[in-house]
Amino acid sequence: MKNVVSLILGGGKGTRLFPLTQFRSKPAVPLAGKYRLIDIPISNCINSELSRIYLLTQFNSVSLHRHIRQTYKFDSFGGGFVEILAAQQTMEGTDWYQGTADAVRKNIRCIEQSDIDYVLILSGDQLYRMDYAEMLTNHIESNADVSIATVPLSSEQAAAFGIMRVDDSGRVKGFLEKPQTEEELKMVRTPPEWIDQQGIESRGRDCLASMGIYLFNRDLLVDLLKKTDYEDFGKEIFPMSIRTHKVHAHLFDGYWEDIGTIRSFYDANLALAHPNPPFDFVVEKSPIYSRPRFLPPTRCEGVTIKRSLIADGCEIDEGAVIENSVIGLRCRIGKNVTIRNSVIMGADYYQDECKETLENDDRPAIGIGDGAYIDGAIVDKNCRVGKNARIEPNGHSEQDFDHTDVLIRDGIIVVPKGTVLADGWKL
């Protein structure tokens, strides 16, 4: 695996995840209480023995850079690294990244090193666990120029994805972005029997969706980037490769979720709190890594907790009720607080550590005040929710809605980072 380099694309604005991306890049968005989205692809690389990792960034990348710097440090003898490639001015150009392929093109020198034979292209906003070594083996055995990871879906789910059409050998013969009609679906359906023959139970699934994970022969990728001005892998480079080169499908049948919207982020987090979550962080041979923060255990006193994840360093006072929720790092929850169906991201620091914020400060303390009620919400980091405040849908429609203090996106109430809600506040 030492002749493979991984490129994780994390440079998009993440507009569909706003306001979670107001002050941070999409890969830096917190996940499951204590992780960040970027931890998923990096952990998959490490567990697959891929230790040469580049992260391409552009927007709001300060916190992401800090997280990478504080988390991923390799020894001096293995040659491994996680290196950030931020958009920058060079002698060749001064433009920002114009797309995923353009971002790689502007850093092409990093993949032109003599000891690199394969380039793995990954996304920074997906939740899944994959052994990329299996994908490389399949790529080599099929004598492919490009391999793409695909996941079986039913026809009913296909309208939201790019769908592959493959022949009996697994070679991709066609690609259709988000097929909407029966006629379009007929063009890209895969016989369920063929999926069964690959060792994956089809269970009625008859479409193969692109996961946005590509494995290129290095020389081919360099040639494509230098001879074209295409800016996007999914919309331009990959469809062209199907017509001109041998593209092979690599089937994957584990949990996979593209966390690109507020709704998908909310649903994925709450699903992780279930007794039998679709994605399990507790896998000894392939753990998900993150920054070691050395926080104390969470302290609880006379509280009721059901189907929830509680991160490190929290203080939860007597009478609190937490159901079907995710509670992030350093979260202080007052007495008789009720939190249901919500993601509370916690805080970046303990308020006691910032003495200057306590003097002449009549705002509520960082955390959730006594008697507060929160249901169906995402509360970003460092928020101050006052005593007896109520955050609940309260009949608001599914349409996006901007309140003075909070927003509604995809039917989910979002309290932006650092928001102050006074005692008794109500939506």
Side-chain angles (χ1 to χ4, degrees):
M1 302 294 284
K2 290 186 177 182
N3 62 344
V4 183
V5 67
S6 303
L7 301 181
I8 302 175
L9 307 176
K13 288 184 178 180
T15 52
R16 294 185 301 161
L17 269 176
F18 186 88
L20 302 183
T21 51
Q22 183 176 8
F23 302 110
R24 59 170 77 90
S25 62
K26 187 161 53 172
V29 171
L31 174 72
K34 63 178 293 182
Y35 304 94
R36 293 179 185 256
L37 287 175
I38 192 60
D39 292 328
I40 303 301
I42 293 180
S43 296
N44 281 332
C45 286
I46 294 173
N47 294 329
S48 303
E49 298 185 1
L50 294 175
S51 58
R52 303 166 71 182
I53 306 165
Y54 290 107
L55 172 59
L56 280 63
T57 68
Q58 183 162 255
F59 297 98
N60 288 338
S61 56
V62 173
S63 64
L64 178 62
H65 290 203
R66 184 187 307 117
H67 178 73
I68 296 298
R69 185 179 67 253
Q70 295 175 335
T71 307
Y72 298 101
K73 302 176 183 179
F74 292 81
D75 65 74
S76 302
F77 305 100
F81 58 83
V82 179
E83 186 171 324
I84 294 169
L85 301 176
Q88 59 181 335
Q89 291 187 354
T90 67
M91 297 301 292
E92 289 80 18
T94 60
D95 294 335
W96 285 48
Y97 299 153
Q98 302 303 307
T100 54
D102 183 64
V104 177
R105 182 183 293 110
K106 285 184 167 65
N107 294 283
I108 201 166
R109 294 177 183 174
C110 295
I111 64 176
E112 286 185 311
Q113 301 171 51
S114 60
D115 58 345
I116 296 174
D117 295 320
Y118 306 99
V119 180
L120 180 65
I121 307 292
L122 304 171
S123 173
D125 60 351
Q126 298 175 346
L127 179 58
Y128 66 104
R129 180 181 279 108
M130 178 186 285
D131 184 354
Y132 301 132
E134 295 179 358
M135 186 174 183
L136 178 61
T137 299
N138 190 14
H139 177 84
I140 294 173
E141 290 179 348
S142 61
N143 196 30
D145 298 311
V146 186
S147 288
I148 180 170
T150 64
V151 59
L153 297 175
S154 66
S155 297
E156 291 74 20
Q157 299 171 293
F161 300 91
I163 305 300
M164 310 293 114
R165 178 170 60 85
V166 301
D167 63 15
D168 290 342
S169 69
R171 180 171 179 172
V172 179
K173 306 296 288 186
F175 172 78
L176 189 58
E177 183 70 23
K178 299 180 179 179
Q180 303 294 319
T181 66
E182 180 61 27
E183 288 73 18
E184 290 178 331
L185 284 169
K186 285 181 179 179
M187 297 168 56
V188 291
R189 277 201 177 100
T190 298
E193 313 86 66
W194 184 87
I195 297 176
D196 292 327
Q197 291 170 4
Q198 311 312 307
I200 293 177
E201 293 184 14
S202 60
R203 301 193 301 275
R205 297 174 293 178
D206 56 2
C207 291
L208 297 179
S210 167
M211 297 172 63
I213 298 173
Y214 310 100
L215 180 62
F216 284 85
N217 290 343
R218 193 279 306 273
D219 291 344
L220 170 62
L221 178 59
V222 170
D223 188 60
L224 290 173
L225 293 175
K226 286 187 173 182
K227 291 184 177 179
T228 73
D229 57 358
Y230 289 155
E231 297 177 345
D232 190 85
F233 278 107
K235 296 178 181 178
E236 296 172 308
I237 294 286
F238 176 64
M240 184 195 69
S241 300
I242 295 174
R243 297 191 299 269
T244 58
H245 296 85
K246 184 177 182 181
V247 179
H248 194 81
H250 174 72
L251 269 66
F252 174 78
D253 195 32
Y255 174 83
W256 173 75
E257 183 66 42
D258 184 354
I259 303 182
T261 66
I262 291 293
R263 169 59 68 175
S264 61
F265 173 84
Y266 174 83
D267 289 344
N269 271 275
L270 294 194
L272 296 172
H274 288 187
N276 296 305
F279 181 88
D280 194 352
F281 283 89
V282 186
V283 177
E284 185 176 357
K285 293 184 178 179
S286 53
I288 302 300
Y289 300 97
S290 191
R291 175 187 166 193
R293 296 175 176 85
F294 309 108
L295 291 171
T298 288
R299 179 187 61 79
C300 302
E301 181 179 353
V303 305
T304 300
I305 300 176
K306 298 179 180 178
R307 300 188 313 279
S308 296
L309 299 178
I310 311 295
D312 301 339
C314 299
E315 296 182 5
I316 307 175
D317 288 342
E318 187 174 3
V321 176
I322 302 173
E323 297 180 356
N324 193 38
S325 296
V326 176
I327 309 299
L329 298 160
R330 304 182 190 85
C331 193
R332 288 187 169 176
I333 299 174
K335 296 179 180 179
N336 302 315
V337 168
T338 299
I339 299 174
R340 292 191 174 98
N341 311 309
S342 296
V343 179
I344 314 296
M345 292 190 182
D348 290 316
Y349 52 86
Y350 290 114
Q351 183 171 323
D352 294 347
E353 297 175 355
C354 300
K355 302 296 183 183
E356 69 277 3
T357 65
L358 300 179
E359 298 176 2
N360 303 318
D361 192 346
D362 58 358
R363 297 176 298 173
I366 293 176
I368 314 299
D370 295 349
Y373 182 91
I374 302 175
D375 188 6
I378 299 172
V379 180
D380 207 335
K381 284 189 172 184
N382 306 333
C383 288
R384 300 165 183 256
V385 179
K387 297 178 180 178
N388 300 312
R390 292 188 71 87
I391 305 173
E392 55 184 330
N394 200 24
H396 287 286
S397 68
E398 293 289 320
Q399 296 181 350
D400 290 353
F401 171 79
D402 290 4
H403 186 273
T404 304
D405 301 306
V406 304
L407 296 84
I408 295 180
R409 294 289 183 268
D410 299 335
I412 309 299
I413 302 169
V414 184
V415 184
K417 186 176 183 179
T419 296
V420 178
L421 303 181
D423 294 349
W425 184 94
K426 294 182 180 180
L427 179 60

